[in-house]
Amino acid sequence: MNRNPVSESRFARAALITIALLFLALFILLPLFAVFSEALKEGFDDFAEAVSTPDALAAIRLTLIVAAISVPLNMVFGVAASWAITKFDFRGKGFLITLIDLPFSVSPVVSGLIFVLLFGANGYLGPWLAEHDVRIIFAVPGIVLATVFITFPFVARELIPLMMEQGKEDEEAAISLGASGWQTFWHVTLPNIRWALLYGVLLCNARAMGEFGAVSVVSGHIRGITNTMPLHVEILYNEYDFVGAFAVASLLAGLALVTLVIKTVLEWRFNLHHAGARH
Amino acid sequence: MNFHKLIAAGLALAMVPALAACSGGNDAEAGTVITNVSYDPTRELYQAINPAFAADWKAKTGETVSFRMSHGGSGKQSRSVIDGLDADVVTLALAYDIDVIAERTKRLPAQWQAALPDNSSPYTSTIVFLVRKGNPKGIRDWADLLKPGIQVVTPNPKTSGGARWNFLAAWAYGKKAGGSDAAAEQYVRQLYAQVPVLDSGARGSTTTFAERGIGDVLIAWENEAFLAVNELGEGKFDIVVPSISVLAEPPVAVVTENAKKHGTEAVVQAYLEYLYTPEAQTAIARNYYRPRNPEVAAQFKDQFPELELVTIDSAFGGWTAAQKRFFDDGGVFDRISARK
Amino acid sequence: MTSPPVRPPRRRNVIPGFGLTFGISALWLSIIVLIPLATIFLRSAHMGLEQFIAVGLSPRALEAYRLSFGTAAAAGVVNAIFGVVVAWVLVRYDFIGKRLVGAIVDLPFALPTAVAGIALTAIYAPNGWIGQLFDPLGIRIAFTPIGITIALIFIGLPFVVRSVEPVLADLGRDVEEAAATLGASRWQTFSRVILPAIGPALLTGFALTFARGVGEYGSVIFIAGNIQGSTEIAPLLIVTQLEQYNYDGATAIAVVMLLVSFGVLLGINLSQVASRRRMGA
């Protein structure tokens, strides 16, 4: 057997794989396993019962609505921002990227607080809203706003490095061949970034469904009306209904896992289909 | 291009839950809706009382009533009401949290506590100890908590309303035993030095003690201690009642302006008055709160041993003064917990 | 010699849509991020500099910052090291279950932070699966800074792996082959060729882990002991200010934390843009 100059010895390979898997097992699989084992501790029937109470169903519905509104908004923004940042040169680009990253670094407590300070009864816009009977905080719009804030960077963050790497030659070529801006985006850029985009959307969606801290501040915790799944988990946990809490939590984790696995499978099949057809 | 179909399919899929959700509506609500903003441990209580009141009200007036319940930390709930959460009634852990709502929003009168009997508190509770089965460390009273090696679990008074009751109960003992404020401060200083974890809420502390196995004694509300004994592991814990404690009076109030706006004044007034009826008082006692009604109290007297109870008003000059003196920035709690 | 220029002049950009995309970005950024965030600066400005310093830079707050920034940096370092190993293994090696491993890396983004906190506390408490192994040795994990760091490692892991992975995948093997034919050992190739190439991405991953860790509340609050001066995190101080109905004080602490995190992120992003420009991309 010939020793490959750009690969490691068998031993090093095995060691690295072992380290990586151990690390992931310890820090990610173990907590995940703890969630599922708590959820199923009393058997599957209790699990099924916990996730089908009216309050749980209302929470699931609200979580899906919030994700369905906030993810597309951030997707459009993410694509637009990455296009502006990677296809053009302008001053203050690093500053703009940092502003996009900003929601990552804001404490979830503060992310909720800012919307209370803005739209709450004593907030800057609160009195005007109250006069016109518009409800933002302690209702669905507030929850959506907080979620959009929290998940704001995900799509853009995923796209910017990739589009920077890809440069703009493809687009320039398409334009010089007479394609319009939209055609270029649709037929040249989009196929190039599709997996990163899908990926960003999935992450954004997972985070949107899982956000707890910020939403907790703006929700008002009204059962069956403004409780999202993570808030419902907290309530059940506080009621010492540990099985119920972990059942709803494992539903969230399961949802995320399923989307991620589907994405992996799609990606794999798509690549098989188009192998060789692309440059 | 396959990919475009993929995107279209993805978008269509994303819309499904939204549409399903919109058409779902909320059939649980009919007739008059009462929003009750409460604190964490009262869920079981109001789950028992709300349907009973709804039936009673329907029989009396023919009107259908339904409820929106919101539970959370007492302070946080109070802030939500201040910031615009549309509560018809607030049922919180301590009078201070309602005082602040009255002061900041003027949506209920400053004298709200005189509106209903017994300081507007339909039930009381007190602070007791929860110890491990058989009381292996021999904890009988507050003095035993300072024995070397004893670990005490209690939540953080800076973030939890329940924790403030605990602190004041300890203070009341320290003052009685030592005879001065200085002695009381010394007592709580030593006590809190033996706390390994200050959870942010009362239920967090119970979990830390019961599920995580931390500490030898949990300082808790009496109702919470009963709940832990009965729900978190029968035969795993014992309740120890100390010689002296505080009289906890969780108050209820109508947020008058909100009720006016919703046109629910009459029904919410009746709702809060209903809490004082023998039926509601029995539900209260069954949920381990001490009932006000003497007959009901007599019926449950084995459940609630007598002990010396000080009130916040008489011992500490009311909640506003106590909050400022003990728990605000630079107050006694900050002083005793600062590292030397 | 009158041949027309082969390429358009470098200066003129033929790609359209700058106005539209930049406009959408700026508008959305302002509505969702900038205007709401401005409120915390406005509110903290209410209180005057002296009060701001008294709350935002009190000794207690400084200790909490030290804990939050310290544990976040420690988590960032651990993730930087192991994140590269995980990314490397995922990109370069084939093994059974690789796709599944790739998928679970993102789990920390999806699991509600409070759930993660509860699960981690249950595992690392003295009577938990792992905690009980360490308890006899006198090592406490939950309710100490170690526990906080573990929670932050969990929260931040995807940032490093996902930043490094695409760059590693993109990195041509030809450079490594060149290095090898020039006689470099595998380790030399890694440290001199690969590491510099993934450096910027790694730094970004570190910075994001750090920034996210500093503000994290939901997962940390369960596993931190909340004892002043030893396990009291900065976001808890914000909550205690709110409990006193002191919104100004809460925003003062928020502003201090935000400025530090923003500074770290800005420094790293600027150095990235600059290095890209240097490389002439």
Side-chain angles (χ1 to χ4, degrees), chain A residues 239-254:
Chain A
E239 280 162 9
Y240 308 129
D241 181 0
F242 298 132
V243 169
F246 282 104
V248 177
S250 63
L251 206 61
L252 270 174

Side-chain angles (χ1 to χ4, degrees), chain A residues 121 135 194 216 220 238-239, chain B residues 3 43 70 76 83 86 203:
Chain A
R135 215 162 268 272
R194 61 178 184 272
S216 154
N238 272 345
E239 280 162 9
Chain B
F3 181 60
R43 190 180 93 92
S70 168
K76 187 177 179 186
D83 285 322
D86 237 346
R203 292 238 156 151

Side-chain angles (χ1 to χ4, degrees), chain B residues 98-154:
Chain B
I98 302 184
D99 281 338
V100 182
I101 299 175
E103 183 196 319
R104 304 224 165 182
T105 67
K106 313 274 182 251
R107 294 195 151 261
L108 67 167
Q111 300 308 315
W112 61 270
Q113 217 167 352
L116 288 161
D118 301 319
N119 285 331
S120 289
S121 311
Y123 56 89
T124 67
S125 189
T126 185
I127 302 301
V128 298
F129 304 152
L130 194 66
V131 297
R132 309 224 174 259
K133 186 75 196 167
N135 199 357
K137 300 281 169 104
I139 291 159
R140 303 266 165 260
D141 200 2
W142 291 98
D144 299 323
L145 301 187
L146 296 192
K147 280 196 221 157
I150 299 280
Q151 285 200 322
V152 182
V153 176
T154 175

